[in-house]
């Protein structure tokens, strides 16, 4: 099947991130307010059948990789049922999951049997008390156990996503990097992104990936290495002879956008064309009105015309961008 999903900047779009729920069993300080969000109603959320129809359409125009995300995707019932449906779609070569890990161990066998190939686990600290402060719920032991269980189950390469925050967890960079010496894990340090729930935190705690790399460089021995299998925008470095590697992801710098190969489907069926910004198209209405896979594919192709070249947040412009973001998002 040829790739015919190509945006206005000649970038082939082969990767679709699918949010299956807006709800979560944690309340990470950078992501959600303590009291939660105004959740979507159940009937607003796409069913697994509706998601599978949209993925079928995406696969017919060249999407090859799907990542299930949220909210917390494992908080939605029987996610393995969706994994099985998506894995069976011709053209889909890679089904992966982003999770906070809390519910992973219990569902691992079903997910792997359904066709899950890879998992990214979010983990911002290796200290139990700090986990509870950052995620506003306990759970470090469950997440660490899930990481080991996922490696054991052959979900490789296993990536750990760590959002780095000044004064909150930036003293743990070395401890996270050390994990890669003994396990085949890929620890990715992510720049804190501004969302309207976290403006104060973003202002105080943002550390650029350049700073993160400087600090990692002080460890001394890290060498650039090729990325592991996957679709991510991270750059990787490893200790000589280590089974794993560390990486940095800089959503606020523009090389993140240059090779953009992705679009996102929100839990309520909006196809979002960029990480930041409000460009998107509604796919729920057509899918619920009985649009065929061919008709949906044609909508996906036309959405490419409005996919922006890049987002408008830039390193060094964070403060003003945050204000802009809060005005748009608030
Ligand atoms: N609940 C799942 C998890 O935590 O992996 C999946 C959804 S979560 C929104 C996906 C990723 O986005 C996580 O790695 C999380 O740390 C990251 N994330 C959320 N808010 C962020 C922010 N403001 N800045 C940077 N990364 C963020
Ligand atoms: Fe957000 Fe994921 Fe944390 Fe939930 S676990 S609050 S979705 S980052």
């Amino acid at each position: 099947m040829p790739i015919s999903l190509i945006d206005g900047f000649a970038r082939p779009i082969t990767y679709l991130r699918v949010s299956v729920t807006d709800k979560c069993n944690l309340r990470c300080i950078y992501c959600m307010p303590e009291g939660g969000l105004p959740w979507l109603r159940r009937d607003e959320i796409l069913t697994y059948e509706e998601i599978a129809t949209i993925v079928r359409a995406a696969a017919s125009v060249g999407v090859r990789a799907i990542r299930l995300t949220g909210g917390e995707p494992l908080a939605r019932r029987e996610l393995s049922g969706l994994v099985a449906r998506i894995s069976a779609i011709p053209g889909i070569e890679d089904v992966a999951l982003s999770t906070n890990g809390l519910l992973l161990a219990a569902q691992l066998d079903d997910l792997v049997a359904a066709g899950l190939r890879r998992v990214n686990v979010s983990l911002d600290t290796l200290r139990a008390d700090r986990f509870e402060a950052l995620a506003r719920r306990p759970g470090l032991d469950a997440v660490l156990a899930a990481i080991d269980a996922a490696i054991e189950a052959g979900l490789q390469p296993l990536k750990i996503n760590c959002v780095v925050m000044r004064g909150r967890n930036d003293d743990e960079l070395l401890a996270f990097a050390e994990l890669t010496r003994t396990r085949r894990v890929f620890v990715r340090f992510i720049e804190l992104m501004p969302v309207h729930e976290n403006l104060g935190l973003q202002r105080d705690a943002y550390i650029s990936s350049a700073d993160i790399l400087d600090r990692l460089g002080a460890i001394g021995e890290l060498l650039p290495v090729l990325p592991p299998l996957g679709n991510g925008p991270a750059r990787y470095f490893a200790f000589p002879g280590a089974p794993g590697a560390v990486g940095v992801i800089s959503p606020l710098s523009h090389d993140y956008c240059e090779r953009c190969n992705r679009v996102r489907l929100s839990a309520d069926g909006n196809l979002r064309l960029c990480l930041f910004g409000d460009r998107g198209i509604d796919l729920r209405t057509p899918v619920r009105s009985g649009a065929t896979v061919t008709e949906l594919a044609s909508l996906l192709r036309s959405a490419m015309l409005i996919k922006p070249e890049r987002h408008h947040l830039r390193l060094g412009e964070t403060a003003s961008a945050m204000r802009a973001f809060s005005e748009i998002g608030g």
Side-chain angles (χ1 to χ4, degrees):
M1 256 173 285
I3 297 172
S4 50
L5 213 53
I6 295 177
D7 75 1
F9 306 93
R11 296 174 297 196
I13 304 302
T14 55
Y15 179 36
L16 174 64
R17 296 175 66 96
V18 177
S19 170
V20 300
T21 178
D22 56 336
K23 298 183 186 63
C24 190
N25 48 357
L26 293 182
R27 294 286 183 274
C28 301
I29 54 169
Y30 48 76
C31 180
M32 280 191 194
E34 190 152 17
L37 294 165
W39 309 121
L40 293 166
R41 292 191 317 270
R42 200 174 169 167
D43 63 304
E44 291 178 300
I45 291 179
L46 295 180
T47 65
Y48 286 168
E49 205 46 57
E50 289 164 346
I51 293 173
T53 303
I54 292 170
V55 172
R56 217 168 283 126
S60 78
V61 286
V63 166
R64 296 287 165 262
I66 304 294
R67 174 168 297 278
L68 302 176
T69 179
E72 173 48 42
L74 294 176
R76 184 157 171 187
R77 217 176 300 159
E78 287 182 37
L79 190 74
S80 58
L82 178 63
V83 172
R85 275 186 175 87
I86 290 176
S87 303
I89 293 173
I92 296 300
E93 295 162 1
D94 186 24
V95 182
L97 172 71
S98 285
T99 173
N100 62 32
L102 277 186
L103 303 172
L104 181 59
Q107 300 186 36
L108 202 50
D109 290 348
D110 289 345
L111 290 165
V112 172
L116 187 74
R117 292 283 160 267
R118 293 181 305 110
V119 65
N120 290 3
V121 179
S122 297
L123 184 61
D124 302 323
T125 176
L126 299 167
R127 302 185 192 174
D129 57 336
R130 208 176 251 188
F131 184 101
E132 196 159 345
L134 294 177
R136 297 198 188 100
R137 308 261 165 99
L140 178 65
D141 288 347
V143 180
L144 292 176
I147 289 171
D148 286 336
I151 294 172
E152 186 83 1
L155 292 179
Q156 295 268 6
L158 187 131
K159 296 176 185 165
I160 295 176
N161 286 341
C162 175
V163 177
V164 183
M165 289 162 281
R166 190 185 310 281
R168 309 271 180 161
N169 66 351
D170 59 331
D171 54 345
E172 292 189 64
L173 286 176
L174 181 55
F176 271 104
E178 286 292 340
L179 286 180
T180 68
R181 281 195 207 264
T182 51
R183 301 169 201 216
R184 192 169 153 67
V185 294
F186 296 81
V187 177
R188 291 132 40 103
F189 296 114
I190 306 178
E191 287 177 353
L192 179 62
M193 293 184 284
V195 299
H196 41 100
E197 285 81 21
N198 74 5
L199 287 181
L201 178 70
Q202 223 271 343
R203 200 172 300 123
D204 299 337
Y206 173 80
I207 304 182
S208 72
S209 59
D211 281 352
I212 295 169
L213 278 178
D214 270 357
R215 293 208 205 173
L216 290 173
I219 297 170
E221 298 173 275
L222 287 165
L223 304 170
V225 290
L226 288 174
L229 183 74
N231 297 281
R235 288 171 287 154
Y236 288 94
F237 305 82
F239 292 116
V246 295
V248 286
I249 300 186
S250 24
L252 295 181
S253 71
H254 283 153
D255 58 347
Y256 182 86
C257 300
E258 270 162 26
R259 287 166 285 115
C260 185
N261 61 349
R262 61 194 56 199
V263 288
R264 298 171 160 75
L265 182 65
S266 69
D268 58 350
N270 193 22
L271 187 77
R272 298 204 176 127
L273 299 159
C274 185
L275 180 60
F276 297 105
D278 51 5
R279 295 228 178 139
I281 60 165
D282 168 35
L283 292 179
R284 188 180 65 193
T285 306
V287 82
R288 288 196 177 166
S289 322
T292 63
V293 163
T294 311
E295 286 163 345
L296 289 168
S298 148
L299 281 174
L300 291 172
R301 268 200 296 263
S302 54
M304 291 301 104
L305 299 173
I306 57 165
K307 181 166 167 59
E309 184 174 16
R310 59 176 177 80
H311 66 66
H312 296 289
L313 295 180
R314 274 186 281 165
L315 278 175
E317 288 185 359
T318 314
S320 59
M322 273 161 41
R323 277 196 295 279
F325 191 86
S326 69
E327 279 159 24
I328 297 162

